[in-house]
Amino acid sequence: MSMSAAKAGLLLALVLVNIAFVIGWIWAARRHRLRGRPDLPDIAIGCTTTFLDTLGIGSFAPTTALFKFRGKPADELIPGTLNVGLNAAAFLETLLFVTAVTVQPALLVCMVATATAGAWLGAGVVSRMPRRSIQLFMGVALLIAAIFFAMKNLGAFPPGGTAFGLDGWRFLLAVAVSFVLGALMCIGIGNYAPLMILLALLGMHPLAAYPIMMASDGILQPVASLGFFRTGRFAHVSALGLTAGSFVGVFVAFYIVKNLLSLTAMRWLVTAVVTYAAVSMLRSARAGRAAKASVALS
């Protein structure tokens, strides 16, 4: 398989799954009678976090943190809202970045395919999880994200090698881990940092992670969203706001500010915000458990 054929196939798949995404969202809005227009705070959150995402910092953890600061949407709706609302950014980033770096075609296609399969299965599980379980999982996910941000700032990430492809057991391991990361995306664990670490440990060049993670998100998020559309377990208005903000955040970061800002300082700020949100999410889960125990005893 040539690189041009792999990219053409991925872009075709990207278009097809996003057509299904749009149809699915319209169907969900009608079935679940979802109404409302996005307000400025949701649009601003979408603009800010997709700006960070395009710079390689990620968007799931910062968006969750800002949702917690704002106090809505409800915790159990956040995973679906992330996948649905940030899909536009993933689509744009895939179009902008997937053709910029040449990586092993078979590895690119297989990792994207398994990540998508993981997301499909993960969305079905997460969309039916109780509120407290989601709070616990997302609290842990945010702490993991904060650790990754701190590791990046402290230079603790492996330096990586020079390869732009893998073979043998390394190929199989990367494809298998991609499936797990696709499933974890559904509970709010972004795949940028884990993928970079994995591929670096396997001897690949740091740049090799970009087309893989961009294409994975671009295809797995609309697929995961289909699961949330079926249950209606996402915040429709907030997702619309994130979508609207994405068009500003992605293009500003890509065309204007990409080489002008201190990403280290931004990562430390995001680390502090995400850590606060993680503690808040876990406290909410603990409070919910205490309230449930109190009701049981009364």
Side-chain angles (χ1 to χ4, degrees), residues 48-195:
T48 301
T49 59
T50 56
F51 173 83
L52 297 174
D53 196 57
T54 309
L55 294 175
I57 294 176
S59 59
F60 271 36
T63 303
T64 302
L66 292 174
F67 279 162
K68 288 298 291 181
F69 273 115
R70 193 183 180 204
K72 65 178 185 179
D75 291 343
E76 67 270 22
L77 300 181
I78 290 179
T81 307
L82 294 176
N83 280 277
V84 175
L86 296 173
N87 178 63
F91 176 82
L92 293 172
E93 289 166 2
T94 302
L95 291 179
L96 293 171
F97 287 108
V98 79
T99 58
V101 180
T102 300
V103 71
Q104 182 183 9
L107 181 66
L108 176 64
V109 171
C110 289
M111 289 188 72
V112 171
T114 54
T116 303
W120 174 255
L121 294 176
V125 174
V126 174
S127 63
R128 293 174 174 81
M129 287 173 64
R131 174 187 177 91
R132 183 171 175 272
S133 296
I134 290 177
Q135 289 172 330
L136 288 172
F137 275 113
M138 293 203 71
V140 173
L142 288 169
L143 286 177
I144 293 173
I147 291 171
F148 280 140
F149 292 144
M151 287 174 61
K152 180 68 174 178
N153 278 357
L154 296 172
F157 275 18
T162 59
F164 281 81
L166 298 170
D167 54 21
W169 67 268
R170 290 181 176 84
F171 183 100
L172 295 176
L173 178 62
V175 171
V177 173
S178 184
F179 174 87
V180 176
L181 294 178
L184 292 177
M185 284 279 288
C186 296
I187 58 173
I189 300 179
N191 68 346
Y192 281 19
L195 267 180

Side-chain angles (χ1 to χ4, degrees), residues 9 12 25 153 180 207 233:
L12 176 61
W25 198 347
N153 278 357
V180 176
L207 286 176
R233 205 166 188 184

Side-chain angles (χ1 to χ4, degrees), residues 235-254:
H236 175 68
V237 173
S238 293
L240 286 174
L242 295 180
T243 300
S246 296
F247 290 94
V248 178
V250 170
F251 285 112
V252 168
F254 185 74

